[in-house]
Amino acid sequence: AEMLDRGVLLGLGTDGMSSDMFLESKFAHMIAKHENKDPRKGFAEACKMLLENNYKILSNLFGWNLGEIKEGLPADIIICDYKAPTPISADNFSGHFLYGLTAGHVVTTVVNGKVLMKNRKLIGIDEEKVNAKSRELAAKLWKRL
């Protein structure tokens, strides 16, 4: 929170162990509350890092024009099947994002205009084959360790 307050462009990511950014944003929120011993901390900051700052960091780093959905621009989009228990508005979106949405709500993923997952089915990828190869390589790696 202090870094954000000082104007540092701070984003949110993972170390590769997890790719669940919904969960990572929840962790960022909870850690900030704990570390600051203040239940008001972390809520706005977690959403800002993920939903506002990440695309700005990538835009600066790679010279891409990100942050809007427009023909000719790179865009990654997810579609979620989320049946909210309360109405969603601009004022409470962050609460729904942090507390309601999970990776399990994602039904469709589009990366740079290409549909990679539709209705929870990967497009053009044999999941069983990939998983089998992953288990094989993981077993070899563990033997080396």
Side-chain angles (χ1 to χ4, degrees):
E2 185 179 330
M3 292 173 72
L4 289 169
D5 289 344
R6 291 181 181 210
V8 175
L9 186 57
L10 188 64
L12 187 62
T14 73
D15 64 359
M17 287 296 291
S18 167
S19 59
D20 185 342
M21 293 309 295
F22 293 102
L23 195 55
E24 297 300 326
S25 62
K26 286 175 182 63
F27 286 150
H29 171 220
M30 296 299 178
I31 289 169
K33 285 169 68 161
H34 175 76
E35 288 297 313
N36 289 284
K37 297 173 182 51
D38 185 344
R40 298 168 295 177
K41 292 290 184 183
F43 186 81
E45 294 85 354
C47 289
K48 181 177 180 84
M49 287 187 297
L50 183 64
L51 301 175
E52 293 178 36
N53 290 358
N54 275 6
Y55 81 83
K56 291 176 184 175
I57 291 168
L58 289 173
S59 293
N60 292 343
L61 187 61
F62 296 109
W64 296 339
N65 185 8
L66 302 175
E68 60 182 317
I69 300 170
K70 188 169 147 184
E71 187 175 343
L73 297 180
D76 296 350
I77 301 166
I78 60 169
I79 299 171
C80 296
D81 182 14
Y82 173 62
K83 293 169 182 55
T86 60
I88 300 175
S89 69
D91 294 332
N92 69 9
F93 173 78
S94 295
H96 282 276
F97 180 80
L98 281 175
Y99 292 110
L101 281 168
T102 68
H105 289 106
V106 178
V107 294
T108 299
T109 304
V110 181
V111 175
N112 205 19
K114 183 178 178 184
V115 177
L116 299 182
M117 181 177 74
K118 185 174 182 179
N119 297 324
R120 294 189 173 98
K121 300 288 182 204
L122 296 178
I123 308 295
I125 295 174
D126 182 340
E127 283 185 80
E128 268 309 307
K129 185 176 178 181
V130 170
N131 287 337
K133 186 67 174 178
S134 295
R135 285 188 295 271
E136 174 190 325
L137 293 174
K140 288 180 183 178
L141 176 63
W142 280 110
K143 285 180 184 176
R144 287 182 21 209
L145 298 176

